[in-house]
Amino acid sequence: MGEPLRVGVVGCGVISNAYLTTAATAPDLEIVAVADLDRARADTTAQRHGVRALDLPDLLAHDDVEWVLDLTTPAAHEEVALAAISHGRSVYNEKPFCATVEQAQRVLDAATAAGVALGGAPDTVLGTGVQTARRVVESGALGRPVAATATMACGGHEAWHPQPDFYYAPGGGPLLDMGPYYLTTLVHLLGPVTAVQGVATRPRTHRTIGQGPRAGEQVPVDVATHVTALVEHASGAVTTLVMSFDAPASLARPIEVHGEEGSLLVPDPNRFDGDVQVHARGDQWRTVPPSAGYTNAGRGAGLVDAARSTDRRTTRASADVALHVLDTMQTVLRAADTGTRLPVASTCVIPSLVPLADLTTPGSPDMTAPAPSARAAS
């Protein structure tokens, strides 16, 4: 087996614990060091997970770092990524890939010029839930896919998050926060997006924090908190997408895909696993055993995928897909503002299916070497 992929982590917020926990159980990864603008937070994180804490310049210059995992806020993704690329490091960004498509494109251009690799969350799409669903679609069991629904409906993160301000400031909202999970899954299942229509509303101007030291404090709402979109895929399928912070509760399935010969229930795309169910025409709902994707997966599966690729640079959690999803979301919001159907300028290549494999067992590079899917965009 090859050496583990050596990773430096930038940003020690809450999500860093999930990535570092995965790295501790995935022999294909080694965390070299962590860094954060708050050095005390970096020290605490490093102590908790048994790794080193460094200042950012030292981490980027560290000879052992192959990939930089950027867990900073979206507004900082471009700056951190460009700094890492200037040091010859490959970069994996948390979602969304950058705050804007223009920033993301500058990062992609810089990486191409420097000859380094890029990847981007969400990597939940690489788990058994979405990958098994994708195998069902590609098997032809549904016939030709014609439609899908995708629904994320909750009452808002202020009910549980002690610092929810970001979710209601520019760059936040349900679409940019949760949309990457749903749209990345839909792209894997139905192909790239070609055009969108949208409606976006903001029923409330303030939200009240529900717990923590700021409980009872009101947060201004400066973004749409309910977004409905029609999403047209290159395959011809059309998705109805609902992303809402204005629904107290919902029994809607996260994602349903409907074909001419059957329907498919896809588990929560914010998780790596979950039951996949199929209803063939004239039959009944049946649960499909996991047949593809990483088992025992967690945040960081996209980096494990890179470690197991032949070149240690290619990951199915690709920047190509991440940029296309970001472009799709921003186009939805523009379509809502203008009241028009708008084309999505970008496209992407759909990565190959993930063979059924255990994330916590060292993998053969050849076993998961990504290759473009037969459904890749032309």
Side-chain angles (χ1 to χ4, degrees):
M1 305 309 300
E3 293 294 320
L5 195 72
R6 298 183 297 276
V7 178
V9 178
V10 180
C12 296
V14 173
I15 195 63
S16 67
N17 290 319
Y19 279 93
L20 291 165
T21 298
T22 297
T25 61
D28 297 290
L29 295 184
E30 177 186 346
I31 303 301
V32 174
V34 299
D36 194 280
L37 286 176
D38 183 342
R39 180 55 190 258
R41 184 161 63 176
D43 289 338
T44 298
T45 300
Q47 184 177 19
R48 180 185 302 124
H49 293 278
V51 298
R52 297 179 62 186
L54 296 173
D55 293 331
L56 180 59
D58 294 332
L59 183 147
L60 297 180
H62 199 297
D63 289 339
D64 285 344
V65 172
E66 297 177 78
W67 281 72
V68 168
L69 170 59
D70 182 3
L71 303 180
T72 61
T73 62
H77 284 180
E78 179 189 20
E79 180 181 359
V80 172
L82 291 177
I85 290 167
S86 71
H87 284 79
R89 311 305 178 202
S90 296
V91 177
Y92 186 96
N93 276 356
E94 240 302 322
K95 57 86 185 168
F97 189 77
C98 283
T100 68
V101 172
E102 293 74 21
Q103 290 179 1
Q105 191 60 59
R106 287 193 289 269
V107 171
L108 265 68
D109 291 344
T112 299
V116 301
L118 293 174
D123 53 12
T124 48
V125 72
L126 305 184
T128 56
V130 173
Q131 290 294 304
T132 296
R134 178 174 163 184
R135 183 178 285 280
V136 170
V137 173
E138 295 189 349
S139 74
L142 306 185
R144 180 171 65 95
V146 296
T149 60
T151 305
M152 191 294 299
C154 70
H157 294 349
E158 73 278 6
W160 57 269
H161 200 295
Q163 303 285 345
D165 308 65
F166 164 77
Y167 296 110
Y168 301 103
L175 182 61
L176 291 177
D177 176 46
M178 297 299 294
Y181 299 106
Y182 290 77
L183 284 165
T184 302
T185 295
L186 291 162
V187 166
H188 272 250
L189 296 176
L190 301 174
V193 178
T194 57
V196 297
Q197 300 175 58
V199 177
T201 60
R202 182 175 62 113
R204 284 175 278 175
T205 59
H206 292 80
R207 298 290 181 115
T208 302
I209 299 176
Q211 64 177 8
R214 297 172 60 196
E217 181 180 334
Q218 288 197 325
V219 174
V221 178
D222 296 321
V223 295
T225 51
H226 183 98
V227 180
T228 300
L230 293 178
V231 178
E232 302 173 36
H233 298 269
S235 64
V238 177
T239 294
T240 302
L241 178 77
V242 176
M243 298 282 112
S244 183
F245 285 164
D246 291 306
S250 174
L251 290 177
R253 295 284 185 163
I255 296 176
E256 297 183 2
V257 178
H258 306 289
E260 293 178 328
E261 301 300 329
S263 295
L264 175 72
L265 300 182
V266 183
D268 185 350
N270 194 18
R271 295 179 51 191
F272 287 88
D273 55 11
D275 287 341
V276 175
Q277 294 179 283
V278 176
H279 192 302
R281 184 184 292 276
D283 198 356
Q284 59 185 346
W285 288 111
R286 300 184 185 278
T287 300
V288 180
S291 59
Y294 286 115
T295 60
N296 296 312
R299 311 283 171 166
L303 287 166
V304 172
D305 202 60
R308 295 185 182 185
S309 69
T310 304
D311 60 6
R312 295 169 66 84
R313 294 164 45 89
T314 308
T315 172
R316 293 179 179 86
S318 72
D320 186 39
V321 172
L323 183 146
H324 178 60
V325 167
L326 175 62
D327 190 14
T328 297
M329 294 188 297
Q330 292 196 335
T331 305
V332 166
L333 294 176
R334 289 200 305 274
D337 285 341
T338 60
T340 57
R341 174 181 177 272
L342 293 178
V344 175
S346 65
T347 188
C348 64
V349 172
I350 306 169
S352 62
L353 194 74
V354 179
L356 190 63
D358 190 335
L359 197 81
T360 62
T361 302
S364 164
D366 292 335
M367 179 181 69
T368 59
S373 165
R375 298 184 298 120
S378 59

